[in-house]
Amino acid sequence: MSSADSLPSLPDFYAGKGILLTGVTGFVGKVLLEKLLWEFCDPSGTSPMIYVLVRSSKEVSSEDRLADLLESPAFQRIRGRQECSVNALSYCLRAVDGDLERDHLGLPTYDELSGTVDVVLHCAALVDWAAPLHRSLQTNAIGSKRVAEFAKAADARLVCVSTAWVHGMVAGKCPEVMLKRSIDPEAELARCFSQLEEFQQTSVQKKSMFLQEASHRLGPGSDLKSLETLAEEMRKKWIDAQMAEWGVAHARECGWWDGYTFSKAIAEMLVQDIQDRTPFAIVRPSGVVSAASEPLPGWVDAYLLVEPLIEGVGRGEITQFPGRSGCVIDCVPVDYVCNVIIAAATMHGSDHGDGSPLVYQCASGDVCPNTLGEIESTWRQYFQSQPMHRDGKAVQVDPVRFVPSAEDFVRSLRLRYITPLWTCSQAVQLLPGWQHSNLLRSARSWLERKRRGVEKVTLLARLYSTYTLNEWSFETSRTRELMAAVAVPGSVPSNQGLPRPERFPYFAQGRPWDWTEFWTQKHIPGMRRWVLKESIPSRL
């Protein structure tokens, strides 16, 4: 099919299907699993069988991890309807021990499972803008390639979750089409892991440096085993830091702002190569935020893109930041993303009739934009009325001053914090016998921790400023057309005579959406409750 006009009903489509779901332990994956269970699983009906790919460990089995997952507040309404346990849901839910970072997904029953799966919903990812590039590529790119190989072997419908910012440094309108290739994805993988090997070799040559720093931290009299253990930890962290810094620089050379979006772009290309002329769907959300309504209004359990900024404003720690007040910050509720993922699997054709994938962008900027200035004002007013506390006192929140240049912001941090902290640390080391003084050694450790913390802030500022200084306009007409075809009209009455909410809601042209209400009544209260785990008023 090539149009939403001939879209089958979602319950009919998923009835009796075998579904492989990846990323279920992540934020999006939890909400997606809950929605599938809520909408389609009924012990008295024809339910799908949902196979969730969960990696086991020496300590915890995949079944136990799934059991722990089902204890999450995200599954509260499932528990209100029926027992929510692995055993009680065995008619429609099964854990599969697997690993994206292993060949054949680490599945001992690869062929058997591929014979029972009809739909693959792939939302597993390492969502970390500051992650070392090799780790992002290992999970996001190579992992997606392995999932696509499985879907191909199973002859299953494949939906891959990407990111709207996969468009990279391209400004202006970003259409719902596949990327034009400017790189060879396999060559980029080889180049990255070659660079990793170089850093690993260099780190071995620096062994004496790591041992010396370990000695500084542990002090005189430390045993050799403790020194070598700490030195090895420092060596690995050094490699990760080098790969993170190199990854950002290399991604920008290739046309992307950071390693995360670069890895997702490579993932799309690798999946397309595997699928060849077999149609599949790509869902590209912008900044994923808490739930608008499902499974709970404001539900969020992860420290995502906006959470560090919200907390920084609430604690009075962010008083200036790189950005433009008029810049549109594109966000989308997680339940809207999951609705699109579920609906996208039903579309198995191409607008072009050539087997090319269908791309669905989940974004809000084209129909209900929210600017950085509006967001800052909303967040600040919220915390002025419901403040966070420090040492038992309410934190005073002042307006955030936006700096038009990320480099100016970073330069200011270096002059005000990094250089003085480094200078003080060096001064401590010049004092005679400082290594034998617990006080001086602790002082140096504190200075070094603070310096490394500010260094991390500079990295995050460079990464975040990409989204507060630049602006994209993500086209979503295909997505809105798809969701208009699957949404249950709100005019259908419920048993109580009240309007029934749409079962698969999404943004629509002309439909009101209040970002102030979302931030102040849903997202921030949800973040404070489930992420920061604050003890705050019951109205939350």
Side-chain angles (χ1 to χ4, degrees):
M1 76 190 62
S2 61
S3 164
D5 295 338
S6 54
L7 189 70
S9 77
L10 293 181
D12 289 344
F13 173 80
Y14 280 100
K17 290 283 197 304
I19 307 168
L20 178 66
L21 175 59
T22 73
V24 71
T25 57
F27 175 49
V28 174
K30 284 191 193 75
V31 178
L32 180 56
L33 173 60
E34 195 275 347
K35 182 69 170 178
L36 291 169
L37 292 172
W38 179 255
E39 291 289 347
F40 308 126
C41 293
D42 181 352
S44 62
T46 306
S47 298
M49 175 56 73
I50 306 171
Y51 302 95
V52 293
L53 190 73
V54 183
R55 181 173 54 192
S56 65
S57 67
K58 292 181 180 179
E59 296 80 20
V60 185
S61 69
S62 56
E63 290 81 4
D64 287 342
R65 288 192 69 191
L66 178 58
D68 289 342
L69 179 74
L70 295 175
E71 295 296 319
S72 165
F75 297 89
Q76 176 177 305
R77 65 175 178 174
I78 302 293
R79 287 191 289 273
R81 185 172 69 179
Q82 68 177 99
E83 183 184 346
C84 187
S85 67
V86 175
N87 288 335
L89 295 171
S90 60
Y91 69 93
C92 69
L93 181 63
R94 190 171 302 166
V96 177
D97 189 4
D99 187 348
L100 291 179
E101 297 187 8
R102 296 175 58 191
D103 289 339
H104 290 88
L105 300 176
L107 293 169
T109 58
Y110 190 92
D111 293 335
E112 179 183 345
L113 186 62
S114 65
T116 61
V117 168
D118 306 291
V119 178
V120 177
L121 305 179
H122 175 46
C123 59
L126 175 58
V127 187
D128 183 351
W129 274 255
L133 183 57
H134 65 289
R135 299 194 189 281
S136 293
L137 289 174
Q138 187 68 50
T139 300
N140 299 340
I142 301 175
S144 294
K145 178 181 179 181
R146 291 183 175 122
V147 170
E149 289 170 342
F150 175 86
K152 188 81 168 178
D155 192 24
R157 299 192 176 197
L158 172 63
V159 180
C160 283
V161 180
S162 184
T163 174
W165 284 292
V166 78
H167 290 280
M169 294 179 174
V170 176
K173 288 189 175 181
C174 301
E176 293 175 289
V177 297
M178 287 299 292
L179 302 173
K180 293 182 179 179
R181 296 204 181 192
S182 58
I183 59 172
D184 179 339
E186 295 287 358
E188 289 303 323
L189 289 177
R191 182 172 182 179
C192 171
F193 287 101
S194 174
Q195 184 63 52
L196 173 62
E197 186 176 347
E198 286 187 27
F199 284 134
Q200 288 173 333
Q201 292 175 354
T202 302
S203 72
V204 173
Q205 298 168 6
K206 291 178 175 288
K207 182 178 179 179
S208 60
M209 180 188 75
F210 298 122
L211 283 170
Q212 183 180 38
E213 178 60 25
S215 177
H216 289 166
R217 294 190 190 181
L218 296 177
S222 300
D223 62 274
L224 182 59
K225 184 176 180 180
S226 296
L227 285 172
E228 289 182 340
T229 299
L230 180 57
E232 178 62 13
E233 291 176 4
M234 293 169 59
R235 185 184 73 85
K236 291 178 179 178
K237 287 182 179 179
W238 181 86
I239 293 172
D240 282 351
Q242 299 304 307
M243 283 301 297
E245 183 176 355
W246 179 84
V248 171
H250 182 64
R252 293 185 176 184
E253 286 178 4
C254 294
W256 284 266
W257 285 108
D258 51 67
Y260 169 68
T261 54
F262 183 52
S263 70
K264 296 297 270 186
I266 291 178
E268 286 194 12
M269 297 174 198
L270 292 173
V271 171
Q272 187 177 26
D273 289 344
I274 294 296
Q275 292 295 101
D276 193 16
R277 297 181 64 84
T278 302
F280 68 103
I282 292 176
V283 174
R284 293 176 180 161
S286 58
V288 181
V289 289
S290 70
S293 59
E294 300 176 289
L296 294 164
W299 164 251
V300 60
D301 70 342
Y303 212 60
L304 303 168
L305 185 63
V306 298
E307 283 68 32
L309 301 180
I310 294 174
E311 185 181 6
V313 170
R315 296 195 186 281
E317 296 169 350
I318 294 181
T319 57
Q320 60 176 331
F321 199 80
R324 293 186 299 105
S325 62
C327 183
V328 172
I329 307 300
D330 206 305
C331 296
V332 59
V334 63
D335 44 342
Y336 282 23
V337 175
C338 292
N339 290 341
V340 175
I341 294 169
I342 290 170
T346 66
M347 300 294 289
H348 208 215
S350 166
D351 284 349
H352 309 291
D354 60 357
S356 59
L358 289 170
V359 177
Y360 298 97
Q361 293 185 159
C362 304
S364 60
D366 60 337
V367 291
C368 43
N370 198 202
T371 67
L372 181 61
E374 292 168 339
I375 289 173
E376 186 274 337
S377 177
T378 298
W379 293 356
R380 175 165 42 84
Q381 290 178 34
Y382 168 86
F383 284 116
Q384 286 172 344
S385 64
Q386 298 193 52
M388 302 182 84
H389 290 75
R390 183 190 301 119
D391 300 327
K393 296 181 180 180
V395 175
Q396 176 64 40
V397 177
D398 296 318
V400 175
R401 183 174 71 87
F402 296 122
V403 180
S405 167
E407 292 307 316
D408 288 347
F409 179 76
V410 169
R411 189 179 301 111
S412 173
L413 286 181
R414 291 196 177 280
L415 288 174
R416 294 168 59 190
Y417 301 107
I418 296 175
T419 299
L421 286 167
W422 181 86
T423 301
C424 290
S425 176
Q426 294 299 302
V428 170
Q429 291 181 235
L430 293 175
L431 295 174
W434 73 271
Q435 290 177 288
H436 299 277
S437 168
N438 290 335
L439 179 62
L440 291 176
R441 208 167 59 249
S442 296
R444 180 188 177 278
S445 295
W446 182 87
L447 291 165
E448 285 298 300
R449 282 198 306 273
K450 287 293 183 181
R451 182 182 63 81
R452 289 193 297 271
V454 181
E455 287 279 10
K456 185 175 182 179
V457 170
T458 65
L459 174 62
L460 292 175
R462 285 194 174 101
L463 296 174
Y464 277 110
S465 64
T466 296
Y467 306 97
T468 55
L469 288 168
N470 301 288
E471 195 166 327
W472 293 259
S473 178
F474 303 117
E475 295 182 353
T476 64
S477 56
R478 177 184 288 142
T479 304
R480 285 184 279 111
E481 178 187 0
L482 171 69
M483 299 315 296
V486 302
V488 176
S491 60
V492 177
S494 67
N495 293 334
Q496 290 76 31
L498 299 173
R500 179 183 299 164
E502 290 178 331
R503 289 170 63 181
F504 299 92
Y506 190 72
F507 298 115
Q509 195 81 40
R511 178 185 296 174
W513 176 268
D514 189 336
W515 277 112
T516 297
E517 177 187 17
F518 175 81
W519 292 120
T520 61
Q521 297 184 30
K522 296 179 180 180
H523 186 90
I524 302 178
M527 182 194 85
R528 296 180 75 174
R529 177 178 180 180
W530 289 301
V531 179
L532 301 182
K533 302 187 185 303
E534 284 186 293
S535 297
I536 50 181
S538 58
R539 64 179 288 187
L540 188 62

